[in-house]
Amino acid sequence: MLYVEAILISLAMGFSITLFVVMALRITHPEIANAELWDHDRRRKLELRHRSKTYRYCQPLIDELALLLHKLSSVQSILHRTGLQKIVENGLSRGGYPLQVKPAEFLAVSVVQAIGLCTVTTVSAIPVFGHPATIWIGLITFVGWLAAAIESVHSISKKRVTRIKARLPFAIDLIALAMKSGAVFAEALTTAAIETGDHPLGTELRRIDSDVNLGKSQHAALRDFCNRICDADISEIVLLIADAIEQGAPLSDTLLQLADSMRTKREQQIEAQIHKSKTMTAFPITVTLFACMILTLAIFLLPALHHNIF
């Protein structure tokens, strides 16, 4: 028995040392890890190493895990069946992440972080709760961290799309006024991107302008914007603009009408949300008032009942 344990410990130590050496080589010499990559992907991974400490110190493990998550059909089936794949893809696309993080890489980083947090939690909880309870604590920590990471991406992307949707009518107005002043659509788009500043819509407008300057057609650049945002209301307006550009229709009046329709729809959505919030708060208010009425009656009735009884 001791002989078997010694063999297992030796194998574990050998594997750990090998993994440590490989990771150290790839951390200190990133060109080893990126030797077979295209220039764009190499720059993207170097930027990931610079921005993410988890990726910087665990790049070999994360790359292998991301490749494994991408290749395993069972994992892909579970992700598609539960909708997690679509949530992560839409979240990374709509969230405006500048690094073009792939869904498998994001999940791999989250898994590595969850393993580290689970290990620390388990080791800390063993002296207090014992072995059986510690296993459940570690499992809950692991699953909870993954769920929190996915929910964080979804929440950030949802808030960003809401901000873009609220600002888009004013940007369309600005583009229409610039075109009425004699500017072409590309110049008006550049003006709107500059005036919007650091707002998420300004980031997207600058990306559209950059794509057009790099040789992509305006119709294709606008369609790519719709694919990144994945919002039905925004896509409807932007695709109408793209079709008008492709057909050569006069844009300035069309843009003003679209901006007015977007503002009207936005006001209707706000009114619907206000009505919904009133409906949701009606029941708690009714219960609270009923409880206050009972308390008030009790203040007057209890002395009388006490006098009659005693």
Side-chain angles (χ1 to χ4, degrees):
M1 187 66 181
L2 294 176
Y3 181 72
V4 175
E5 290 181 357
I7 292 176
L8 293 176
I9 292 173
S10 301
L11 290 175
M13 290 180 63
F15 176 77
S16 301
I17 292 172
T18 304
L19 181 62
F20 174 78
V21 171
V22 172
M23 290 180 65
L25 284 174
R26 295 198 177 190
I27 290 170
T28 55
H29 299 82
E31 66 274 6
I32 297 176
N34 301 326
E36 298 180 357
L37 299 176
W38 295 97
D39 288 340
H40 171 72
D41 209 21
R42 186 184 297 113
R43 287 194 298 268
R44 186 181 67 84
K45 286 184 176 292
L46 290 175
E47 186 68 17
L48 273 173
R49 285 168 52 86
H50 176 69
R51 291 176 177 262
S52 173
K53 291 183 179 180
T54 305
Y55 190 83
R56 185 188 313 162
Y57 297 119
C58 304
Q59 180 183 354
L61 181 61
I62 291 173
D63 287 344
E64 294 299 330
L65 185 58
L67 186 62
L68 185 65
L69 291 174
H70 182 72
K71 285 186 175 181
L72 285 178
S73 58
S74 57
V75 175
Q76 291 296 319
S77 176
I78 293 173
L79 292 176
H80 283 291
R81 195 179 305 153
T82 57
L84 293 177
Q85 181 78 14
K86 188 175 182 180
I87 292 174
V88 174
E89 287 179 354
N90 290 343
L92 294 175
S93 175
R94 301 166 74 186
Y97 290 89
L99 302 178
Q100 301 179 3
V101 183
K102 297 179 181 178
E105 291 174 342
F106 170 79
L107 291 174
V109 170
S110 301
V111 167
V112 171
Q113 292 173 343
I115 290 173
L117 183 61
C118 176
T119 303
V120 173
T121 305
T122 303
V123 172
S124 303
I126 285 177
V128 180
F129 299 101
H131 294 284
T134 304
I135 295 174
W136 286 105
I137 292 173
L139 183 62
I140 292 172
T141 303
F142 181 83
V143 176
W145 181 266
L146 289 180
I150 294 173
E151 177 59 29
S152 174
V153 170
H154 177 67
S155 176
I156 291 172
S157 65
K158 188 175 180 180
K159 291 178 181 178
R160 185 173 184 269
V161 170
T162 302
R163 293 183 64 191
I164 290 175
K165 191 183 297 186
R167 192 67 175 268
L168 186 59
F170 303 100
I172 293 177
D173 275 337
L174 182 59
I175 293 173
L177 292 175
M179 294 186 70
K180 278 184 174 294
S181 301
V184 297
F185 179 75
E187 296 172 346
L189 182 67
T190 303
T191 302
I194 295 172
E195 292 295 329
T196 311
D198 294 332
H199 192 274
L201 180 59
T203 303
E204 294 295 338
L205 292 179
R206 284 191 293 274
R207 185 167 178 179
I208 295 172
D209 190 34
S210 175
D211 290 343
V212 173
N213 291 333
L214 290 174
K216 187 176 290 186
S217 67
Q218 294 175 348
H219 186 275
L222 291 173
R223 188 171 292 275
D224 288 343
F225 167 65
C226 294
N227 293 334
R228 286 195 302 271
I229 299 301
C230 299
D231 183 82
D233 295 333
I234 295 177
S235 297
E236 180 183 0
I237 299 299
V238 175
L239 289 178
L240 285 174
I241 296 173
D243 292 338
I245 293 174
E246 195 173 35
Q247 295 170 6
L251 274 180
S252 56
D253 296 333
T254 304
L255 291 175
L256 291 175
Q257 293 175 1
L258 290 175
D260 290 336
S261 66
M262 282 197 71
R263 273 191 291 269
T264 303
K265 184 180 290 187
R266 180 66 177 169
E267 292 173 357
Q268 293 174 350
Q269 290 175 350
I270 293 174
E271 291 176 356
Q273 291 177 357
I274 294 173
H275 180 71
K276 184 179 179 180
S277 62
K278 289 181 178 179
T279 306
M280 293 177 64
T281 56
F283 179 73
I285 291 174
T286 304
V287 172
T288 304
L289 290 176
F290 185 70
C292 292
M293 290 175 60
I294 293 176
L295 183 61
T296 305
L297 291 174
I299 292 173
F300 291 101
L301 291 178
L302 282 178
L305 291 174
H306 183 270
H307 178 72
N308 292 334
I309 294 174
F310 298 99

